[in-house]
Amino acid sequence: MSAPIPIAAPVSWTAALWADLKDLVGSDARLLAFAKRAAWVLVPLTLAIVAVVFGTGPEPRRNWYGDMLGNDFSQIWVAGRSALDGRGGEPYDLAVHLENLKAAFGPECRFAWHYPPVFLIPAAAFATLEPQPAFFLWTVLSLTTFALTMRFAAGRRDAAWIALAHPLVFCNLTYGQNGLFTASLLTLGALLVDRRPWLSGLCFGLLAYKPHFAALAPLLLLITGRKTCLASCLATALALCLASLALFGTAPWIGFLGTLGETNRIILQKAAAGLELNASAFGAVRLLGGPILAAWALQALVAALALALAIRAWTRPVEPDLRAAALLAAAPLLSPYLPVYDLVPLVPATLLLVLTAHRAGGLRRPERALLLATPLFALLREGAGLTGFPLGLVLSLATLACITDRIRPWRFSGGRRSALA
């Protein structure tokens, strides 16, 4: 009599799914494959939403949400139009600027102009076009610049394509903000600092339109004695200032310097843009209901920590990619005002961190956890508004911590599997 054939116990679909997820999060190769597939869906979807939903609308100069066409880009266009018409000082007069915004886009368009006059140069260039084609050109140029920079940084197309799928890229495009330009210039400057010092300094100097992001690089160049790069950086910034004076006169500079105190009051004290928008340490305390003094204290602590880690990365024999990642992760944390869209330098910082991990043998557990948390970047503002939790600051500090751990391994040394292939 033959023995009965044993029948394996059925495996529930939940157990199989859980086992598959465990394998996914534990394998660098599977994570890479999953990220590639996700990017092939997310990047085209992002472009379609930005072009159709935010770039067109049922009314002239209004998108399908009913907001200003291009959202924040609307005031770049208005400020540029004022500069073109010989009224370069008007963006720094809040009452006049609001009237100009109202005339162009309606009464709901209410933004205060805080950029230094050098930013009037590109603003005026885009204002030679009507708002809709100007917004599309702005979008194409910022996305193309960022994509090419990520391709250069990664040295491989798949990693650059994955970077384009990051929620912070979508955030910048929908806001019509300049964060992709900022992240690109910071990345190129940091990666070219030894290979092409003049070009690196040029990239850093072009960041003069965003002084709170531009300040860290010259300091690091000075500390490390990179005189050629520093000279190029300062010369570029000076040339931009002189060009803005020649093109628009002294009125914008007088207005800009005269409104610095008002900028502090509007952005930091009144939080006119919303507490949930500011992802800095200062913003985290204010979001949690803390006083101004405590907000400044935490901001000073976090800024000092970020600065110390950046200096450490640039004054020790550290791999160039990791050194660049330290600059990219530290620069945003120095500012008390850090809108969520200005966190985009964390994208190339994470990319360079992953490339370093790949060369070193694989991702560590905290690095893998950081990658798995990437979708949370899509919830920074909404999550902060609903829960009061400063998710943006937490993710920024987590990125910086992973980079710091690579510079000098402390605790997180286990949890490696197959490297990216």
Side-chain angles (χ1 to χ4, degrees):
M1 184 175 179
S2 60
I5 299 174
I7 300 176
V11 179
S12 69
W13 68 270
T14 54
L17 178 61
W18 179 247
D20 190 59
L21 286 175
K22 286 180 65 177
D23 182 64
L24 172 65
V25 301
S27 168
D28 292 2
R30 285 204 63 191
L31 269 179
L32 175 62
F34 178 81
K36 286 181 183 178
R37 289 193 294 269
W40 279 110
V41 175
L42 292 174
V43 174
L45 181 61
T46 292
L47 297 180
I49 292 174
V50 171
V52 177
V53 178
F54 292 91
T56 64
E59 303 175 27
R61 301 191 179 187
R62 294 276 170 173
N63 61 33
W64 286 98
Y65 273 114
D67 297 329
M68 295 70 65
L69 196 67
N71 287 329
D72 290 5
F73 177 76
S74 59
Q75 81 150 338
I76 297 176
W77 187 89
V78 168
R81 179 66 72 176
S82 296
L84 278 178
D85 294 340
R87 299 176 282 109
E90 287 189 356
Y92 301 97
D93 186 326
L94 184 57
V96 175
H97 184 56
L98 291 177
E99 284 300 315
N100 291 341
L101 290 170
K102 179 180 178 181
F105 293 96
E108 299 86 358
C109 189
R110 299 181 62 83
F111 298 111
W113 181 259
H114 305 295
Y115 291 103
V118 296
F119 196 52
L120 291 176
I121 299 174
F126 282 97
T128 59
L129 303 173
E130 286 300 305
Q132 187 176 52
F135 171 66
F136 282 133
L137 179 60
W138 173 270
T139 300
V140 169
L141 286 179
S142 62
L143 189 64
T144 302
T145 301
F146 187 76
L148 292 175
T149 301
M150 295 304 99
R151 176 67 175 84
F152 172 75
R156 46 191 294 178
R157 294 179 181 177
D158 55 354
W161 184 252
I162 293 169
L164 292 180
H166 198 286
L168 286 173
V169 175
F170 178 70
C171 176
N172 264 268
L173 295 177
T174 56
Y175 273 99
Q177 269 292 338
N178 51 43
L180 297 180
F181 289 117
T182 302
S184 298
L185 290 171
L186 276 173
T187 304
L188 291 172
L191 291 176
L192 293 171
V193 69
D194 292 325
R195 286 180 282 174
R196 298 285 189 274
W198 279 102
L199 184 56
S200 170
L202 174 68
C203 293
F204 286 142
L206 289 174
L207 285 168
Y209 69 88
K210 217 153 193 170
H212 51 297
F213 272 72
L216 179 58
L219 177 62
L220 295 175
L221 297 176
L222 178 63
I223 291 173
T224 57
R226 290 178 166 89
K227 297 179 181 179
T228 301
C229 190
L230 179 61
S232 175
C233 173
L234 297 179
T236 301
L238 178 60
L240 287 175
C241 293
L242 293 175
S244 68
L245 276 170
L247 291 171
F248 311 121
T250 59
W253 281 101
I254 294 173
F256 171 68
L257 296 174
T259 56
L260 290 178
E262 185 70 6
T263 296
N264 172 68
R265 185 183 68 84
I266 292 174
I267 289 183
L268 297 179
Q269 295 182 26
K270 292 185 64 178
L275 290 172
E276 74 284 355
L277 181 67
N278 190 359
S280 70
F282 181 97
V285 175
R286 298 293 289 145
L287 179 68
L288 295 170
I292 291 285
L293 185 60
W296 278 116
L298 183 62
Q299 178 61 42
L301 178 63
V302 169
L305 176 63
L307 179 60
L309 295 176
I311 292 174
R312 189 172 183 280
W314 279 65
T315 54
R316 289 176 179 262
V318 172
E319 191 174 342
D321 280 358
L322 206 55
R323 182 183 62 199
L327 168 62
L328 289 161
L333 291 170
L334 301 183
S335 174
Y337 182 60
L338 182 60
V340 292
Y341 44 75
D342 274 344
L343 288 173
V344 73
L346 296 181
V347 179
T350 304
L351 173 63
L352 294 171
L353 173 66
V354 171
L355 292 172
T356 302
H358 169 41
R359 290 190 292 268
L363 293 169
R364 296 170 178 171
R365 287 196 183 98
E367 295 163 350
R368 191 174 292 114
L370 180 65
L371 293 181
L372 293 172
T374 297
L376 294 178
F377 280 96
L379 307 173
L380 295 184
R381 184 169 189 176
E382 291 75 10
L386 291 173
T387 66
F389 181 72
L391 181 61
L393 177 63
V394 171
L395 291 173
S396 300
L397 292 174
T399 305
L400 190 63
C402 287
I403 294 169
T404 304
D405 181 48
R406 280 284 172 184
I407 294 171
R408 178 183 175 183
W410 290 336
R411 297 180 184 175
F412 310 122
S413 57
R416 303 184 189 182
R417 265 186 74 175
S418 59
L420 297 174

